[in-house]
């Protein structure tokens, strides 16, 4: 999708360069917000020592979205029309803003629930945290390097991770004897699934035309949905 920067007759425009930089910085800020939130909800950090930094990151994510919208209006006014790439950028900046929203939801859950996840589900959620952080890193590389192959890889991996979130949510909701961990764990799996979904949407903009944005079934039809998040334990926990 970012090929339009290279092809545009206005490619030297300070505004276009800023849009690229602002979007990548928006992803970095959302990643920072997510990491801060997980320190409280999954690792037991004192929320009062993190709250100000997290809220500042959340405000910055929202500010980036408004700035990108403004810069796109200026860009379209300069070129004299609304090009498809501008529509895509408007869409994925909303996806990036939603990453911040879900990170804040994770933090708010940590404020509400006084206990941390335990056992295998704690390990699954810690692995999931690491996978989300890695995909956020990958998304930044994708847009820095116009890397279509990495975008396809992330979309496929994100599909598997989303199915794992669904599987664990269903498993917890069907417990005959739920305990105090069940509801918060369900919410954590759900929030992280939604973050993965928005990251997949962002990656789809690199490999799909505007009318197929967010629709990637052809890229993921042969993804094997078997396995368990615990299969990643050696990579992310036993280090």
């Amino acid at each position: 999708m970012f090929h339009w920067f290279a092809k545009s007759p206005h490619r030297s425009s300070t505004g276009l360069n800023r849009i690229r930089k602002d979007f990548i910085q928006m992803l970095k800020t959302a990643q920072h917000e997510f990491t801060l939130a997980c320190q409280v909800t999954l690792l037991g950090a004192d929320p009062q020592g993190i709250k100000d930094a997290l809220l500042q990151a959340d405000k910055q994510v929202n500010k980036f979205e408004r700035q990108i919208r403004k810069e796109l209006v200026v860009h379209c006014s300069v070129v004299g029309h609304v090009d498809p790439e501008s529509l895509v950028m408007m869409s994925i900046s909303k996806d990036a803003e939603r990453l911040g929203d879900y990170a804040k939801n994770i933090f708010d859950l940590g404020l509400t629930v006084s206990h941390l996840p335990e056992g295998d589900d704690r390990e699954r959620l810690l692995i999931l945290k690491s996978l989300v952080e890695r995909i956020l890193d990958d998304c930044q590389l994708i847009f820095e390097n116009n890397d279509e192959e990495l975008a396809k890889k992330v979309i496929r991996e994100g599909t598997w991770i989303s199915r794992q979130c669904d599987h664990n949510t269903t498993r917890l909701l069907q417990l005959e004897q739920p305990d105090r961990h069940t509801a918060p764990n369900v919410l954590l799996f759900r929030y992280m699934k939604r973050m993965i979904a928005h990251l997949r949407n962002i990656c789809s903009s690199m490999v799909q035309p505007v009318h197929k944005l967010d629709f990637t079934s052809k890229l993921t039809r042969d993804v094997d949905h078997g396995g368990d998040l615990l299969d990643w334990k050696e990579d992310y926990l036993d280090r």
Side-chain angles (χ1 to χ4, degrees):
M1 188 279 294
F2 268 120
H3 293 310
W4 71 294
F5 284 100
K7 295 178 181 178
S8 170
H10 303 280
R11 60 187 178 276
S12 62
S13 164
T14 301
L16 287 179
N17 291 332
R18 189 181 300 121
I19 292 171
R20 174 197 285 267
K21 292 177 181 178
D22 282 353
F23 183 73
I24 294 172
Q25 190 60 44
M26 191 178 182
L27 292 176
K28 290 180 180 178
T29 307
Q31 181 179 31
H32 178 56
E33 184 179 356
F34 173 70
T35 299
L36 289 173
C38 289
Q39 286 179 14
V40 172
T41 306
L42 291 179
L43 301 176
D46 178 9
Q48 296 308 314
I50 287 175
K51 184 176 181 180
D52 288 347
L54 183 136
L55 292 179
Q56 182 59 38
D58 191 60
K59 290 179 181 178
Q60 192 65 31
V61 169
N62 295 335
K63 182 178 179 180
F64 276 125
E65 184 190 20
R66 294 192 299 270
Q67 184 65 26
I68 288 170
R69 287 178 177 178
K70 179 179 178 181
E71 290 164 353
L72 286 169
V73 170
V74 172
H75 165 73
C76 292
S77 298
V78 169
V79 301
H81 65 277
V82 178
D83 49 52
E85 294 83 2
S86 295
L87 296 175
V88 169
M89 177 57 75
M90 189 73 75
S91 177
I92 64 174
S93 64
K94 171 53 67 176
D95 284 302
E97 186 271 337
R98 294 297 289 157
L99 295 174
D101 287 346
Y102 281 110
K104 188 171 183 297
N105 287 343
I106 291 170
F107 175 76
D108 289 342
L109 184 64
L111 294 178
T112 304
V113 179
S114 60
H115 51 273
L116 298 176
E118 294 180 350
D120 284 349
D121 280 327
R122 180 176 186 274
E123 292 192 343
R124 289 187 179 97
L125 288 164
L126 287 172
I127 292 166
L128 186 54
K129 166 188 173 291
S130 294
L131 289 170
V132 172
E133 289 173 332
R134 195 197 75 193
I135 288 178
L136 276 158
D137 280 334
D138 286 343
C139 282
Q140 293 162 44
L141 291 174
I142 285 165
F143 286 96
E144 287 171 355
N145 303 320
N146 294 322
D147 194 333
E148 294 185 12
E149 291 306 310
L150 182 55
K152 292 176 183 178
K153 179 176 180 288
V154 168
I155 289 168
R156 291 172 61 82
E157 288 183 347
T159 298
W160 183 84
I161 295 169
S162 292
R163 290 295 180 92
Q164 288 295 309
C165 291
D166 285 339
H167 169 74
N168 284 287
T169 298
T170 300
R171 173 180 57 80
L172 290 168
L173 290 174
Q174 292 179 347
L175 288 175
E176 292 185 3
Q177 295 182 321
D179 58 26
R180 65 175 185 163
H181 296 286
T182 304
N185 287 355
V186 165
L187 288 173
L188 284 170
F189 280 116
R190 181 64 180 175
Y191 292 155
M192 292 200 202
K193 178 195 172 179
R194 294 310 307 154
M195 292 190 73
I196 289 292
H198 287 293
L199 289 166
R200 287 175 58 205
N201 290 349
I202 289 169
C203 289
S204 75
S205 69
M206 185 62 64
V207 297
Q208 296 285 70
V210 64
H211 65 287
K212 292 184 178 180
L213 192 66
D214 305 348
F215 293 94
T216 56
S217 58
K218 288 185 178 181
L219 298 175
T220 60
R221 60 179 51 171
D222 62 340
V223 172
D224 182 356
H225 299 297
D228 190 289
L229 284 165
L230 293 175
D231 296 338
W232 293 83
K233 183 176 178 179
E234 183 176 345
D235 293 316
Y236 289 108
L237 296 185
D238 297 339
R239 291 189 290 184

